[in-house]
Amino acid sequence: MSFVPTELPAWKELQEIYDSYGKDFSSKDAFSKDADRYEKFSKTFTNFDGSKILFDYSKNLIDEKIVAKLIELAKQANVEKLRDQMFAGDKINTTENRAVYHVALRNRANKPMYVDGVNVAPEVDSVLQHMKEFSEKVRSGEWKGYTGKEITDIVNIGIGGSDLGPVMVTEALKPYAHPRISVHFVSNVDGTHIAETLKPLNPETTLILVASKTFTTAETVANATSAKNWFLKTAKDESHIAKHFAALSTNAEEVSKFGIDTANMFGFESWVGGRYSVWSAIGLSVVLYIGYENFDNFLKGAEAVDRHFVETPLEENIPLLAGLISVWYNNFHKAQTRLVAPFDQYFHRFPAYLQQLSMESNGKSVNKANVFTNYETGVILFGEPTTNAQHSFFQLVHQGTKLIPSDFLLAAQSHNPIENNKHQRMLASNFFAQAEALMQGKNEDQVKAEGTTGGLVPHKTFSGDRPTTSILAQKFTPAALGALIAYYEHLTFTEGAIWNINSFDQWGVELGKVLAKVIVSELEDETPVKTHDSSTRGLINQFKNWA
């Protein structure tokens, strides 16, 4: 279906609502007028294991009329139809003519799921069983390096989704780690990254995973080659590579040419996008670190959200409502950003992971009719774990001139309840207080009542009505993390569906890579370049002069 969202009746009606009262909507006033507001705008998700996650949208700049109209917009934009097409394995990645089927990777019910008439469930399960067998050998110590020593360190070499997903998940689930095994990640082609990562490691006890679907990704192959050379300086014999390298790839020819035993190759299909690949063989480092059972629970948590997204009516559909609220801010309030602030140190890479999910998916300016949009699309997502963030950029969130909708995440139960859980109570107090302060603000009378006078009064005044969504889990378990990632995936899907863009390609990523391939050959030649624009030419020649 081709449509322009701004021409849909519900969009126009939402604009009228915004113009009439939406732009001046006060959530703090709404609470004073409606005692049931929290109950109306909060939803509780129950995971497959019975654990719960609470999503509180009540501090957002919404009311029942706005939400009803947003749901009407979703219906007019055929979000449900596109969702069902994705879960049916249809090729909704229109520019690459591919299915978008990462949901099949967490199909732990093993129900038939088809792409091009082929049930992919058996192959997905086969790869998972391969990952399970391999990981259990490594974790138990049965798998040994070429000198007979157990593996103590895993190095994952990838970039983009092949790095961000495993990095984030292993950090978030560190409490579940194997006591003997450490994981390390290399993504940057800057030689410092691979050099500093390998420097303290012992080649005899290191297992290196090379994560590249095609095994031709330039940065990954460069880092993998350097890792192989580092290993062979000690091991000498190339036959030992089989005990210390594995490939997360589908290109058996290139994997074999590199020297990796294809028995140590873990594949995934073309319908797995990079930013959705942590559910696939790309998650092998996660399995090695936390164990297959925990990884299975991670998948099942996502599967439970998938089921909710497909089966729950729009009015109660948690990720869909979140996506619609994001559209409300982006396209009507003209908010260009979203803050994701986890109140959990283990989640310190979670915002970076979501940056790729959100901005690579919806950073598009051409719609599915191949026409440039005349409306805003992708949201700029950023974040850091709090309480650190409160002492860096929260000033802008509280008193800046920009509207910054924010997501706050907290687990009620800490993995480290030290000092009789005092730290967690302090953390939680900030979680609750920041959201309340952003909504309530502080007016001039309150500032003056505190004894402030003169020109200092406006500096201590806070407008309030800064929107937040509070996400409270019982505990950040593998199942809870899987659920939260799937929640943000479907939120992002909903945004893209409303904007009628293809959320599943990334042509913008490719342009710089193509140009870099040309320039790298020029850098290997000592003569000055005479091509390019004058700025690029001048920079290249100066680099050559100084290098």
Side-chain angles (χ1 to χ4, degrees):
M1 174 188 174
S2 181
F3 65 92
V4 178
T6 53
E7 294 177 2
L8 295 174
W11 186 289
K12 294 177 179 178
E13 289 163 6
L14 281 163
Q15 187 62 58
E16 290 173 3
I17 290 172
Y18 176 79
D19 291 339
S20 63
Y21 74 89
K23 61 186 176 183
D24 300 315
F25 185 87
S26 170
S27 52
K28 58 185 173 185
D29 289 349
F31 272 102
S32 64
K33 295 173 184 175
D34 185 356
D36 298 324
R37 180 172 172 83
Y38 168 73
E39 285 73 21
K40 288 176 182 176
F41 296 110
S42 60
K43 311 288 180 188
T44 300
F45 169 75
T46 303
N47 215 328
F48 79 94
D49 59 358
S51 63
K52 299 181 187 301
I53 305 175
L54 170 64
F55 295 83
D56 176 17
Y57 302 115
S58 62
K59 291 186 178 76
N60 282 284
L61 306 179
I62 54 172
D63 61 13
E64 290 172 287
K65 183 177 179 180
I66 292 167
V67 171
K69 197 56 64 177
L70 286 167
I71 290 168
E72 202 174 312
L73 176 65
K75 291 176 180 177
Q76 292 175 9
N78 275 321
V79 174
E80 291 167 288
K81 180 181 179 182
L82 187 66
R83 174 201 65 192
D84 294 345
Q85 287 175 331
M86 177 172 72
F87 277 84
D90 293 352
K91 295 179 180 179
I92 65 170
N93 179 347
T94 51
T95 62
E96 297 178 295
N97 195 32
R98 287 180 184 171
V100 176
Y101 224 27
H102 49 277
V103 292
L105 298 169
R106 54 235 196 181
N107 170 29
R108 300 316 299 133
N110 275 322
K111 63 184 180 184
M113 298 184 76
Y114 294 89
V115 174
D116 291 328
V118 177
N119 179 14
V120 303
E123 177 61 23
V124 168
D125 194 60
S126 173
V127 172
L128 283 172
Q129 293 311 309
H130 188 194
M131 293 165 69
K132 179 182 180 181
E133 291 163 10
F134 182 76
S135 65
E136 287 177 349
K137 286 181 181 178
V138 174
R139 287 168 61 83
S140 68
E142 178 187 345
W143 182 286
K144 293 187 170 59
Y146 74 98
T147 60
K149 296 179 180 178
E150 295 179 352
I151 298 299
T152 60
D153 292 274
I154 311 291
V155 179
N156 186 92
I157 298 176
I159 198 166
S162 299
D163 172 76
L164 281 167
V167 168
M168 182 274 290
V169 175
T170 53
E171 286 295 305
L173 299 181
K174 190 173 283 188
Y176 301 88
H178 191 290
R180 187 188 75 247
I181 295 173
S182 297
V183 288
H184 316 269
F185 295 88
V186 176
S187 56
N188 200 332
V189 77
D190 180 347
T192 298
H193 203 181
I194 186 75
E196 289 293 341
T197 300
L198 297 177
K199 194 179 291 183
L201 304 186
N202 180 358
E204 297 176 51
T205 59
T206 299
L207 175 66
I208 295 172
L209 311 180
V210 184
S212 172
K213 186 188 296 184
T214 61
F215 220 80
T216 57
T217 307
E219 300 94 336
T220 299
V221 171
N223 280 324
T225 301
S226 295
K228 182 171 74 169
N229 293 337
W230 166 83
F231 174 75
L232 289 174
K233 278 182 183 178
T234 301
K236 309 299 183 186
D237 189 342
E238 291 205 7
S239 66
H240 295 322
I241 290 173
K243 283 291 183 182
H244 292 268
F245 281 76
L248 316 180
S249 178
T250 54
N251 191 337
E253 183 180 348
E254 288 297 325
V255 167
S256 181
K257 191 186 300 182
F258 187 85
I260 297 176
D261 186 345
T262 53
N264 302 340
M265 189 174 92
F266 300 80
F268 50 103
E269 298 300 323
S270 63
W271 38 260
V272 182
R275 53 193 173 277
Y276 304 98
S277 62
V278 71
W279 316 105
S280 73
I282 292 296
L284 182 60
S285 58
V286 180
V287 182
L288 289 162
Y289 193 52
I290 68 171
Y292 181 79
E293 184 179 347
N294 284 320
F295 187 75
D296 193 50
N297 288 337
F298 172 66
L299 297 177
K300 286 177 179 176
E303 180 187 32
V305 171
D306 291 342
R307 192 175 297 117
H308 170 92
F309 187 53
V310 170
E311 297 175 358
T312 307
L314 301 190
E315 292 77 9
E316 302 297 323
N317 198 304
I318 295 170
L320 181 128
L321 288 170
L324 293 175
I325 291 169
S326 178
V327 169
W328 173 238
Y329 290 130
N330 184 73
N331 295 98
F332 298 92
H333 283 272
K334 305 303 180 186
Q336 295 184 322
T337 62
R338 178 163 71 245
L339 164 63
V340 176
F343 284 70
D344 191 294
Q345 187 58 32
Y346 286 126
F347 272 49
H348 70 108
R349 297 296 290 163
F350 193 63
Y353 175 80
L354 295 183
Q355 282 178 331
Q356 184 192 30
L357 171 64
S358 177
M359 295 195 283
E360 191 168 83
S361 294
N362 290 339
K364 312 291 168 59
S365 56
V366 177
N367 66 19
K368 289 183 179 177
N370 308 321
V371 175
F372 285 95
T373 65
N374 61 354
Y375 49 88
E376 295 285 334
T377 57
V379 174
I380 301 166
L381 190 148
F382 72 105
E384 281 291 325
T386 45
T387 53
N388 289 2
Q390 292 170 205
H391 293 268
S392 57
F393 53 74
F394 264 51
Q395 171 63 39
L396 178 66
V397 182
H398 276 283
Q399 286 187 302
T401 58
K402 295 173 174 59
L403 180 70
I404 303 176
S406 304
D407 291 359
F408 292 169
L409 295 85
L410 174 74
Q413 300 169 32
S414 171
H415 287 289
N416 298 290
I418 61 174
E419 303 292 340
N420 196 27
N421 217 31
K422 178 182 178 181
H423 286 262
Q424 191 67 5
R425 289 194 296 274
M426 288 180 67
L427 186 70
S429 69
N430 281 277
F431 173 83
F432 300 124
Q434 287 292 339
E436 186 175 41
L438 283 164
M439 180 188 72
Q440 294 287 1
K442 186 184 288 186
N443 62 34
E444 284 191 11
D445 290 339
Q446 290 171 307
V447 173
K448 290 175 181 176
E450 293 174 350
T452 302
T453 59
L456 199 55
V457 170
H459 293 279
K460 291 190 174 184
T461 300
F462 297 79
S463 65
D465 288 321
R466 307 281 175 128
T468 57
T469 295
S470 296
I471 301 173
L472 179 64
Q474 286 180 281
K475 192 171 187 176
F476 284 145
T477 61
L481 179 62
L484 286 170
I485 297 172
Y487 161 80
Y488 278 103
E489 285 180 355
H490 297 320
L491 182 165
T492 303
F493 169 92
T494 300
E495 292 173 330
I498 295 291
W499 294 326
N500 196 30
I501 56 176
N502 181 6
S503 298
F504 307 106
D505 60 12
Q506 55 277 334
W507 298 107
V509 175
E510 305 301 325
L511 177 59
K513 289 184 177 182
V514 172
L515 294 175
K517 285 180 181 179
V518 174
I519 294 174
V520 75
S521 62
E522 295 175 336
L523 294 176
E524 290 166 357
D525 184 338
E526 293 183 2
T527 60
V529 298
K530 297 179 180 178
T531 53
H532 305 288
D533 62 90
S534 60
S535 171
T536 306
R537 183 169 62 247
L539 288 165
I540 291 172
N541 288 332
Q542 187 63 76
F543 173 86
K544 286 186 172 193
N545 186 40
W546 286 347

